[in-house]
């Protein structure tokens, strides 16, 4: 009998234990974390004289964590790209920031993020809709920068305040401002001259979908080779390895931009003009630090494009005109006339086709050539 009672009690205990529900408390900030990303696969062909190309590329892959803690939003983003060269790792951290967003009139962001310069800079690479950002954006907005700064995707480390003011009767805010202070060296870099870049901009939105704005940028890139030491006879002073002794200093970045955009539904039109004063490096965007005075201390450029629906939700047609003058002279102008189609299989899978006729006056040989670009882009 005792054995039967013992077995019965054990059975009851096991049954109660199996039926007992255990609750694990998950912090709200963990529940708010979202993982996403995207990839961009590319084919590109060009008949540029003495530089013909015909290749498949892995243009870009990014993995993103977004979250929210109280009144703060945060983001961490890692990028893999086909970019190679000195100081350009194929995998690197591109975004890491937190932003206090309690009030739409006044937000504060700190960390590594997009510079507060131009409309196109912060545009998503897929949404931007082209084979790449406009040449003037690449050179004067911190992508493959004119100063030789390594490819930074328009980003830097710093602090920014921004806000949207003056809501109308419908609640749509009519004025936006943003001002940031940055190291001035691009992604994952400390300040090399202890002089910060200050970038700001504003735009007005008089009607729905339209914004017209202006931006300004003043700063420098430090630890640039501005000259080489010479002795009293004018001969270069060599170090123990036989190399010329560099004289380092800072190169100014004084820039401004004017921007206009209309975006409504599936229609998108944008135009921007950028101007830069300050010496450039021997090669843009290659983590080079030697000043090339032959290029002059001014550069400018502009672009304009339109993207319109042909079949709603499925097929868009596009055209773009752009010009970048590396020396603010027509002899250095690179001009592109582009047209293409974007096809949407689903909202997360699309294909881009583009043809460009390019005239590059800086080339020693034939200035005109053709370029074809085909991309498959996906999000997850």
């Amino acid at each position: 009998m005792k054995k039967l009672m013992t077995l019965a009690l054990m059975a009851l205990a096991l049954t109660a234990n199996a039926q007992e529900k255990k609750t694990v408390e998950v912090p709200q900030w963990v529940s708010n974390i979202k993982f996403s990303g995207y990839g961009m696969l590319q084919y590109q062909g060009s008949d540029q004289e003495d530089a013909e190309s015909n290749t498949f590329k892995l243009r870009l892959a990014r993995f993103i964590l977004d979250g929210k803690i109280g009144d703060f939003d945060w983001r961490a983003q890692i990028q893999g790209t086909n970019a190679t060269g000195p100081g350009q790792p194929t995998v690197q951290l591109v975004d890491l920031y937190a932003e206090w967003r309690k009030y739409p009139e006044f937000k504060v962001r700190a960390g590594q993020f997009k510079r507060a310069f131009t409309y196109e800079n912060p545009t998503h690479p897929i949404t931007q809709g082209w084979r790449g950002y406009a040449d003037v954006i690449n050179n004067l907005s911190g992508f493959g920068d004119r100063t030789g700064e390594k490819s930074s995707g328009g980003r830097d480390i710093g602090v920014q305040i921004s806000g949207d003011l003056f809501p109308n009767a419908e609640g749509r805010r009519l004025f936006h401002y943003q001002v940031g202070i940055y190291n001035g060296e691009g992604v994952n870099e400390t300040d090399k001259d202890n002089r910060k870049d200050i970038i700001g901009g504003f735009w007005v939105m008089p009607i729905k979908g339209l914004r017209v704005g202006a931006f300004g940028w003043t700063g420098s890139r430090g630890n640039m080779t501005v000259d080489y030491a010479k002795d009293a006879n004018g001969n270069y002073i060599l170090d123990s390895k036989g190399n010329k002794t560099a004289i380092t200093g800072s190169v100014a970045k004084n820039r401004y931009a004017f921007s206009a955009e209309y975006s409504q539904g599936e229609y998108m039109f944008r135009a921007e003009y950028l101007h830069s004063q300050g010496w450039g490096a021997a090669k843009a965007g290659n983590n080079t630090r030697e000043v090339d005075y032959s290029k002059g201390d001014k550069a400018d450029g502009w672009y304009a494009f339109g993207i319109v629906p042909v079949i709603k939700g499925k097929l868009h047609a596009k055209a773009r005109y752009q010009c970048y003058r590396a020396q603010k002279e027509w002899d250095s102008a690179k001009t592109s006339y582009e047209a293409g189609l974007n096809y949407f299989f689903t909202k997360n899978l699309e294909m881009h086709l583009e043809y460009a006729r390019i005239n590059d006056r800086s080339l020693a040989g034939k200035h005109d050539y053709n370029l074809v670009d085909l991309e498959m882009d996906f999000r997850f």
Side-chain angles (χ1 to χ4, degrees):
M1 177 65 74
K2 289 183 178 181
K3 290 183 178 181
L4 290 174
M5 290 182 65
T6 301
L7 291 172
L9 289 172
M10 289 176 64
L12 287 171
L14 289 170
T15 302
N17 186 59
Q19 292 177 347
E20 182 182 353
K21 295 181 179 179
K22 293 184 179 180
T23 303
V24 178
E25 292 291 336
V26 177
Q28 187 61 45
W29 69 268
V30 175
S31 301
N32 288 334
I33 294 176
K34 177 185 176 182
F35 174 70
S36 62
Y38 56 93
M40 305 180 75
L41 312 176
Q42 184 179 49
Y43 165 81
Q44 198 167 89
S46 167
D47 64 355
Q48 181 181 340
E49 187 176 57
D50 298 325
E52 293 85 357
S53 65
N54 177 5
T55 185
F56 294 103
K57 300 180 180 179
L58 303 178
R59 178 181 167 187
L60 193 65
R62 286 186 179 160
F63 303 94
I64 309 164
L65 287 175
D66 288 302
K68 185 176 181 63
I69 305 175
D71 295 324
F72 287 83
D73 288 354
W74 61 268
R75 165 169 284 197
Q77 183 172 202
I78 294 175
Q79 171 180 288
T81 178
N82 62 0
T84 58
Q88 298 187 67
T90 54
V91 177
Q92 64 179 337
L93 180 69
V94 289
D95 282 315
L96 183 62
Y97 64 83
E99 184 172 47
W100 184 65
R101 300 176 59 87
K102 186 173 183 178
Y103 303 106
E105 298 85 359
F106 183 79
K107 295 173 281 190
V108 182
R109 179 179 292 189
Q112 182 164 280
F113 50 89
K114 289 280 190 176
R115 291 167 163 118
F117 195 66
T118 76
Y119 289 164
E120 180 145 318
N121 182 357
T123 306
H124 192 292
I126 296 179
T127 306
Q128 191 261 350
W130 295 91
R131 60 187 171 89
Y133 293 89
D135 291 334
V136 66
I137 297 296
N138 285 326
N139 284 274
L140 302 183
S141 192
F143 283 73
D145 201 83
R146 166 181 167 82
T147 60
E149 174 188 297
K150 70 180 180 181
S151 180
S152 296
R155 294 169 170 82
D156 205 344
I157 305 173
V159 179
Q160 173 187 286
I161 61 172
S162 65
D164 296 285
L165 308 175
F166 312 129
N168 63 9
E170 300 172 346
R172 182 174 58 81
R173 296 178 182 267
L174 304 179
F175 182 85
H176 173 89
Y177 72 91
Q178 54 191 44
V179 180
I181 180 169
Y182 309 86
N183 281 342
E185 298 291 340
V187 296
N188 308 317
E189 292 283 347
T190 57
D191 198 329
K192 299 297 188 295
D193 60 3
N194 297 319
R195 295 163 56 186
K196 298 296 183 284
D197 283 18
I198 300 174
I199 305 174
F202 72 92
W203 57 77
V204 294
M205 296 163 280
I207 63 174
K208 187 176 181 180
L210 175 67
R211 54 178 180 160
V212 180
F215 301 84
W217 179 345
T218 182
S220 63
R221 186 179 188 221
N223 197 31
M224 297 284 287
T225 299
V226 296
D227 204 350
Y228 292 95
K230 296 180 181 179
D231 61 22
N233 297 318
N235 299 313
Y236 288 112
I237 299 174
L238 305 181
D239 60 21
S240 59
K241 297 181 179 180
N243 299 317
K244 292 184 290 186
T245 303
I247 299 174
T248 59
S250 298
V251 170
K253 289 181 284 185
N254 297 310
R255 299 172 180 177
Y256 61 82
F258 298 110
S259 309
E261 178 186 88
Y262 178 77
S263 177
Q264 190 67 15
E266 297 181 36
Y267 291 86
M268 166 71 78
F269 302 92
R270 185 188 304 138
E272 298 194 274
Y273 171 80
L274 283 70
H275 182 277
S276 175
Q277 182 275 321
W279 300 107
K283 187 174 182 180
N286 200 39
N287 205 30
T288 53
R289 292 190 175 273
E290 182 176 0
V291 175
D292 184 352
Y293 293 102
S294 69
K295 293 184 176 180
D297 71 337
K298 291 182 176 65
D300 72 348
W302 54 90
Y303 73 90
F305 74 70
I307 302 177
V308 300
V310 177
I311 302 174
K312 186 176 180 180
K314 279 292 182 184
L315 182 65
H316 291 172
K318 59 185 181 180
R320 178 171 71 172
Y321 164 71
Q322 60 167 317
C323 179
Y324 174 63
R325 301 191 299 178
Q327 300 176 40
K328 202 184 175 182
E329 296 175 355
W330 284 109
D331 286 345
S332 68
K334 182 180 179 181
T335 306
S336 301
Y337 305 88
E338 302 159 84
L341 298 169
N342 296 337
Y343 183 78
F344 300 83
F345 297 96
T346 70
K347 67 177 182 179
N348 291 326
L349 179 64
E350 57 193 87
M351 179 175 286
H352 298 175
L353 174 63
E354 183 176 341
Y355 165 76
R357 178 68 174 177
I358 301 173
N359 176 272
D360 188 347
R361 300 190 186 184
S362 68
L363 297 177
K366 186 179 178 181
H367 295 168
D368 297 303
Y369 62 93
N370 303 293
L371 184 146
V372 175
D373 183 89
L374 179 65
E375 292 188 18
M376 179 72 76
D377 302 333
F378 62 89
R379 312 176 195 227
F380 56 88

